[in-house]
Amino acid sequence: METKKKYFIETFGCQMNVHDSEKIAGMLIDLGYEESSSKENSDIIVFNTCCIRETAELKIMAKIGDTKALKKKNPNLLIVVCGCMTQQKGMSDILKKRFPFINLVIGTHNLNELEDYIKEYNYKSKFNSIVWDKEQEIKEDTKIYRTSKYNAWVNIMYGCNNFCTYCIVPYVRGRERSRKVEDIVKEIEELVKENKYKTITLLGQNVNSYGHDFNDGRTNFVYLLNEICKINGDFKINFMSSHPKDFSFELIDFIATHNKMSRALHLPVQSGSNSVLKAMNRRYTAEHYKALVDEIYKKIPGVSLTTDIIVGFPGETEQDFEETCDLLKHCRFSSIFGFVYSRRNGTPAATFENQVPDKVKQNRITRLFELQHQISREELQKMIDNKFEGVIEKDEKGNLILKTFNGKSIKLNEDNLEIGQVRKVLVTDIVNNELQGKVV
Ligand code: SF4
């Protein structure tokens, strides 16, 4: 029997990249490859890269370097590098100089062409780079190999128009382009047919500005959600990422009145100081953000709110940092993703002169996490003796959990539960900061 060629994809960065890797896998399976559990046994290795932080780039470079030995052992091994890192100006030359054994470098704008490139590729060719400058046309016939049994990711738009001063994304992912409502609805109809997927997560760099590029006076994010909610089936809708400047009160009302909308919201604030928000070019104030949060808590009972915070942004004073802590106390997030600001070449903030010393940044992030841990603990305590609905899943250690529709994980000490079922669970205890519960 003929053995199939094998692929291995190493993914770095955000959910957007994780979903892109599902598309890459779909293309490779279409070409007759099958998934391999290790690089050593593979015929093609794809590095789907991220450049959001320079430390991530260093890590990726080291991983690419490690494949030199594999390539020596197997000269027919095909090494492909794609993703945000390769879309940066000059990156192809750097990769060529450092890793001439790479076979193919492609950018974010022509990722969908990968299948054709591999079909046409001459394995004996040396280093090859095809990085388009112009933004990718939206392709609707991409094959996707979905890696989760419970949650399906669905792109609703690509690119970003916001140019936050610390962020490289608009430079490597291009301007905002929305998929058509009917194409998104068609994809989701297939996904929820026969109860296949219980949660659908809509993806975009700023989903709240979905449809603005159509300029038709009708299509926006709430319009899209309304069309998705009309689809028959028992499923919940999540979305990420949101931008507070575009997160509307209309959207809050919509979530509050539609059962299919998940009660887990992620709304990145980044800072509680208006002067830092201005320097970041975020285009909202801390007051506006708090007003949104107050409205969310008022209208959507049981909602669980999370956020992103950057500490030590250039020019951040102790007073600015205290204002971020005050915002945390006001908003009482379930959890936060906290980051120390690090310079990202190619962004405006990397050139700001008033950089904050590392020691100060470290001190602030420690204090930020201490404060948030206390708030998170208090919020978890409030869940004891309450019931929550969600989907039975397995965590990364193989334990059965209930993933609630407001974004929490509750550990279950039962083994006769079917994965993928929707169940109700009573929270009984907290052990090592983990919720414990039993099915009711
Ligand atoms: S909204 Fe800001 S942080 Fe988010 S991708 Fe766009 S530029 Fe980057």
Side-chain angles (χ1 to χ4, degrees):
M1 204 174 71
E2 200 187 324
T3 53
K4 282 188 165 187
K5 285 187 176 177
K6 291 194 163 40
Y7 73 82
F8 187 91
I9 304 172
E10 184 144 19
T11 309
F12 302 85
C14 63
Q15 274 323 317
M16 203 71 115
N17 263 17
V18 172
H19 186 46
D20 279 349
S21 287
E22 292 184 330
K23 292 180 187 171
I24 296 168
M27 291 187 253
L28 294 174
I29 289 169
D30 201 44
L31 287 171
Y33 285 84
E34 65 181 11
E35 193 175 12
S36 161
S37 54
S38 74
K39 285 184 195 146
E40 283 71 20
N41 299 324
S42 303
D43 299 280
I44 179 168
I45 299 171
V46 181
F47 291 98
N48 187 10
T49 65
C50 164
C51 63
I52 208 100
R53 287 188 185 77
E54 277 175 19
T55 44
E57 246 177 53
L58 294 176
K59 199 169 135 194
I60 296 164
M61 295 282 191
K63 295 261 185 179
I64 297 173
D66 288 347
T67 54
K68 190 178 177 182
L70 295 177
K71 184 80 183 174
K72 220 173 181 178
K73 256 200 231 162
N74 173 12
N76 284 330
L77 171 65
L78 192 55
I79 297 178
V80 178
V81 185
C82 61
C84 299
M85 190 177 102
T86 56
Q87 191 64 42
Q88 297 173 93
K89 279 204 169 63
M91 184 50 74
S92 285
D93 293 337
I94 295 172
L95 289 171
K96 187 174 183 178
K97 206 163 165 201
R98 286 190 61 180
F99 312 112
F101 55 86
I102 292 175
N103 296 89
L104 189 59
V105 173
I106 64 168
T108 52
H109 296 334
N110 52 335
L111 183 68
N112 287 333
E113 308 298 311
L114 179 64
E115 186 170 348
D116 287 342
Y117 295 155
I118 293 174
K119 253 192 254 167
E120 290 158 13
Y121 196 75
N122 170 6
Y123 277 65
K124 290 191 181 71
S125 302
K126 291 269 186 281
F127 187 96
N128 228 308
S129 171
I130 317 169
V131 180
W132 291 359
D133 283 340
K134 73 171 174 60
E135 285 140 23
Q136 181 185 40
E137 292 271 314
I138 295 180
K139 261 196 175 179
E140 286 302 338
D141 57 349
T142 46
K143 292 122 196 151
I144 300 170
Y145 170 64
R146 299 198 181 265
T147 44
S148 165
K149 292 189 191 80
Y150 332 106
N151 174 61
W153 308 98
V154 175
N155 283 116
I156 63 166
M157 62 193 298
Y158 304 91
C160 179
N161 291 352
N162 289 309
F163 292 93
C164 301
T165 54
Y166 53 84
C167 182
I168 195 84
V169 167
Y171 306 93
V172 292
R173 292 249 177 203
R175 299 293 75 72
E176 288 175 1
R177 288 146 285 148
S178 303
R179 285 180 70 197
K180 288 189 194 136
V181 173
E182 52 271 32
D183 291 329
I184 298 167
V185 167
K186 200 169 136 208
E187 182 177 347
I188 297 174
E189 277 172 346
E190 278 300 311
L191 291 167
V192 300
K193 220 161 59 183
E194 293 154 13
N195 270 341
K196 234 173 22 195
Y197 285 95
K198 295 286 189 232
T199 58
I200 299 292
T201 302
L202 309 177
L203 286 180
Q205 304 295 346
N206 173 16
V207 291
N208 312 119
S209 64
Y210 169 81
H212 290 183
D213 48 327
F214 294 138
N215 245 325
D216 61 5
R218 180 198 70 171
T219 314
N220 63 16
F221 188 47
V222 171
Y223 177 84
L224 172 69
L225 290 175
N226 197 36
E227 293 304 301
I228 297 172
C229 282
K230 287 181 196 163
I231 299 172
N232 282 332
D234 188 14
F235 64 96
K236 295 280 177 196
I237 305 160
N238 285 306
F239 53 85
M240 65 191 297
S241 277
S242 282
H243 195 305
K245 84 174 164 57
D246 299 310
F247 197 101
S248 64
F249 284 79
E250 186 197 4
L251 174 59
I252 297 172
D253 285 340
F254 185 88
I255 297 169
T257 51
H258 285 76
N259 272 342
K260 283 197 167 93
M261 297 305 300
S262 147
R263 267 46 183 163
L265 293 179
H266 184 68
L267 191 55
V269 64
Q270 310 302 2
S271 172
S273 150
N274 286 339
S275 60
V276 174
L277 289 172
K278 194 158 182 245
M280 289 175 164
N281 192 31
R282 292 289 289 174
R283 289 179 278 164
Y284 54 84
T285 61
E287 291 73 31
H288 174 74
Y289 186 90
K290 285 181 200 163
L292 279 175
V293 168
D294 292 348
E295 186 74 0
I296 288 170
Y297 283 138
K298 192 171 112 196
K299 295 269 177 73
I300 314 173
V303 70
S304 155
L305 202 56
T306 53
T307 198
D308 296 340
I309 304 270
I310 297 173
V311 300
F313 189 76
E316 184 191 72
T317 62
E318 185 59 22
Q319 171 66 28
D320 293 322
F321 174 69
E322 285 298 337
E323 287 172 14
T324 299
C325 293
D326 288 345
L327 185 131
L328 249 56
K329 287 178 204 157
H330 181 100
C331 297
R332 299 198 62 83
F333 300 107
S334 315
S335 62
I336 61 166
F337 297 87
F339 305 92
V340 163
Y341 170 76
S342 68
R343 269 183 158 149
R344 170 68 266 188
N345 266 335
T347 63
T351 64
F352 293 175
E353 279 173 3
N354 45 0
Q355 301 285 327
V356 175
D358 283 348
K359 221 170 137 185
V360 175
K361 289 196 243 184
Q362 286 307 331
N363 174 282
R364 286 183 190 160
I365 195 85
T366 306
R367 285 156 60 204
L368 187 89
F369 283 140
E370 275 168 10
L371 171 61
Q372 182 55 42
H373 284 160
Q374 187 195 330
I375 295 170
S376 298
R377 263 199 310 273
E378 288 166 6
E379 291 302 306
L380 283 184
Q381 283 291 343
K382 288 183 193 164
M383 292 177 70
I384 292 186
D385 292 335
N386 285 299
K387 291 173 196 150
F388 295 88
E389 211 181 3
V391 182
I392 305 288
E393 293 184 11
K394 269 191 181 166
D395 65 12
E396 54 291 352
K397 290 180 206 146
N399 300 315
L400 279 178
I401 56 161
L402 184 89
K403 190 86 184 165
T404 70
F405 292 133
N406 67 350
K408 297 281 185 341
S409 296
I410 306 172
K411 212 165 150 190
L412 305 167
N413 285 324
E414 294 164 67
D415 46 21
N416 54 346
L417 297 166
E418 207 182 302
I419 308 280
Q421 271 185 333
V422 173
R423 301 301 292 263
K424 211 173 240 178
V425 159
L426 175 76
V427 176
T428 52
D429 205 356
I430 299 171
V431 178
N432 298 330
N433 284 330
E434 282 181 337
L435 293 167
Q436 313 282 315
K438 59 175 187 203
V439 173
V440 288

